[in-house]
Amino acid sequence: MLNAKIPATVITGFLGAGKTTMIRNLLQNAKGKRIALIINEFGDLGVDGDVLKGCGDETCTEDDIVELNNGCICCTVADDFIPTMEKLLERENRPDHIIIETSGLALPQPLVAAFNWPEIKTQVTVDGVVTVIDAAAVSEGRFAHDHDKLDAQRAADEELDHESPLEELFEDQIRAADMVVLNKTDLIDTKRLAAVKTNVQSQTDRTLKIISAKHGDLPIEVLLGMGAATEDDIVNRKSHHELHHADGHEHDHDEFESFIVETGEIADTDKFIAGLKSIIADHDVLRLKGFCAVPGKPMRLVVQAVGQRIETYFDRAWQAGEKPSSRLVVIGLHDLDQTAIAEQIKAAA
Ligand SMILES: Nc1nc2c(ncn2[C@@H]2O[C@H](COP(=O)(O)OP(=O)(O)OP(=O)(O)O)[C@@H](O)[C@H]2O)c(=O)[nH]1
């Protein structure tokens, strides 16, 4: 149909919930739909984009993938997101569908609200906001606040009006959702999954569409084509930040930080993983990911850590002109001891 708006799906969810994995599955099952991807990552190593490049060859070429690594997309709407969308829409070969992966720390609300900007409102609509949840992490209480600690902080600081940053993000990302994917169901039993579902639904008065998945493996018909036009309803899905700072106070991410550690080749992967596990536990690292070089191996090793769960696999050969190296992005709450973490990672390699 001429002049029909292009549908855009926003995929959000906390660090390591499985957004990139779900998108990878989706691209592989795109059934000829031409998809453009906008990927926003916290920590400027570009791991997600790199993992996705090449996995949907016919329906989503490298040219269709735009990486926005200049901070969280919710804070760079005017400078990054709108110009990127405008460029996409100017293309001769316009996509059938746009998928936007937010960083794990992004608030979806400002991004969805941007679809009401005149520059893009007439051409694109939000097909739906899909929030991916690490059901195992929720069940382990990762996003529940420590009541005793919070009460102590409140006693010390009467101004303190918000919950833990992790809990707030968890709630805000659910409040924005049209659909919630309870992912990583391979890691928890049905009883605990039912409790997670109840917890998720309790975050909003709207009845959410909640589905379960392993490795984000869901049919494209389930994820795309919701026709929700979420931009029309986003004012009713306010984030904690919007509710607490109606005065226009800027939202920022200074409760979180990320940095990159470069280390040598990884001679003993098992020893390295064991080392990473204790670093993650000692320093309360939320997310660690990157690519490593292994002596004598032509392939690069992908390292993905979410809490204490670490996955490694070789994804592709180092390419011509690419120097095999080991680089990891480390993400945690503010005040990470960057020097100690970097030293310990180098010692574990
Ligand atoms: N066991 C298990 N692991 C999963 C599942 N889905 C994803 N993972 C793993 O979880 C890790 C993080 O997955 P990603 O898809 O990179 O998560 P993400 O949400 O894109 O992460 P960020 O972009 O860093 O926020 C990877 O090691 C995945 O292989 C699942 O259903 N079960």
Side-chain angles (χ1 to χ4, degrees):
M1 203 202 319
L2 209 61
N3 294 331
K5 290 188 184 183
I6 299 177
T9 298
V10 174
I11 298 189
T12 189
F14 193 65
L15 297 165
K19 300 176 289 297
T20 309
T21 309
M22 191 172 88
I23 294 170
R24 194 169 55 196
N25 277 321
L26 217 150
L27 293 182
Q28 281 163 351
N29 298 300
K31 299 180 184 158
K33 216 185 246 295
R34 190 179 160 88
I35 293 175
L37 261 183
I38 298 178
I39 303 168
N40 170 230
E41 200 168 351
F42 190 77
D44 52 9
L45 204 53
V47 178
D48 294 359
D50 231 69
V51 165
L52 287 169
K53 277 176 196 159
C55 70
D57 280 32
E58 281 161 29
T59 46
C60 180
T61 66
E62 275 199 39
D63 287 347
D64 296 319
I65 301 182
V66 187
E67 292 176 71
L68 299 182
N69 294 338
N70 192 20
C72 273
I73 203 164
C74 51
C75 302
T76 59
V77 161
D79 296 336
D80 276 349
F81 176 65
I82 296 284
T84 300
M85 285 296 277
E86 286 181 309
K87 256 192 228 148
L88 260 184
L89 297 170
E90 277 163 15
R91 281 191 188 180
E92 218 166 278
N93 200 356
R94 292 178 21 142
D96 300 322
H97 204 108
I98 299 169
I99 294 179
I100 302 159
E101 177 183 354
T102 76
S103 93
L105 301 178
L107 299 181
Q109 284 84 350
L111 172 65
V112 174
F115 284 80
N116 287 315
W117 287 34
E119 290 89 333
I120 59 171
K121 186 168 176 67
T122 52
Q123 303 187 65
V124 195
T125 179
V126 180
D127 182 52
V129 174
V130 179
T131 300
V132 185
I133 300 273
D134 180 337
V138 174
S139 184
E140 286 156 12
R142 174 106 57 96
F143 304 101
H145 65 233
D146 179 336
H147 289 268
D148 292 344
K149 195 168 153 201
L150 198 72
D151 287 346
Q153 283 170 347
R154 281 220 178 89
D157 179 1
E158 286 174 6
E159 298 274 294
L160 194 72
D161 62 356
H162 56 95
E163 307 164 47
S164 81
L166 262 65
E167 188 179 28
E168 274 199 4
L169 263 171
F170 172 71
E171 293 176 6
D172 287 343
Q173 291 176 340
I174 292 170
R175 281 184 201 177
D178 293 291
M179 181 191 283
V180 174
V181 175
L182 302 181
N183 193 36
K184 307 201 184 182
T185 55
D186 53 313
L187 299 175
I188 63 169
D189 60 35
T190 46
K191 200 167 151 212
R192 290 198 299 149
L193 183 62
V196 173
K197 190 171 176 184
T198 307
N199 175 351
V200 165
Q201 180 55 68
S202 73
Q203 305 301 334
T204 170
D205 295 334
R206 289 179 301 117
T207 303
L208 289 169
K209 208 181 285 178
I210 304 178
I211 52 175
S212 314
K214 290 185 185 116
H215 299 280
D217 192 4
L218 291 165
I220 188 163
E221 296 79 8
V222 170
L223 294 170
L224 309 188
M226 275 185 259
T230 319
E231 68 274 22
D232 295 341
D233 188 48
I234 200 66
V235 287
N236 301 318
R237 306 185 188 182
K238 286 198 166 31
S239 65
H240 281 86
H241 180 79
E242 290 161 308
L243 292 169
H244 294 152
H245 299 289
D247 54 359
H249 171 91
E250 288 283 308
H251 153 78
D252 56 40
H253 295 279
D254 54 9
E255 282 145 335
F256 297 92
E257 65 185 47
S258 80
F259 63 101
I260 292 171
V261 179
E262 190 146 5
T263 184
E265 292 184 323
I266 310 302
D268 181 341
T269 313
D270 291 341
K271 173 182 156 248
F272 186 57
I273 291 173
L276 290 183
K277 280 192 177 170
S278 47
I279 295 163
I280 288 167
D282 292 351
H283 297 276
D284 211 3
V285 170
L286 293 170
R287 183 84 166 101
L288 184 152
K289 59 184 174 178
F291 305 106
C292 291
V294 173
K297 269 268 177 195
M299 308 279 285
R300 69 177 185 183
L301 183 75
V302 181
V303 176
Q304 291 268 16
V306 182
Q308 282 292 300
R309 288 192 191 94
I310 304 188
E311 189 183 56
T312 57
Y313 58 92
F314 291 99
D315 77 327
R316 66 156 171 81
W318 293 103
Q319 289 166 353
E322 209 178 33
K323 188 173 169 287
S325 62
S326 300
R327 301 183 81 210
L328 297 164
V329 60
V330 183
I331 306 175
L333 284 165
H334 191 53
D335 285 339
L336 281 178
D337 187 344
Q338 298 194 10
T339 312
I341 293 172
E343 273 170 14
Q344 287 173 31
I345 290 178
K346 285 175 191 167

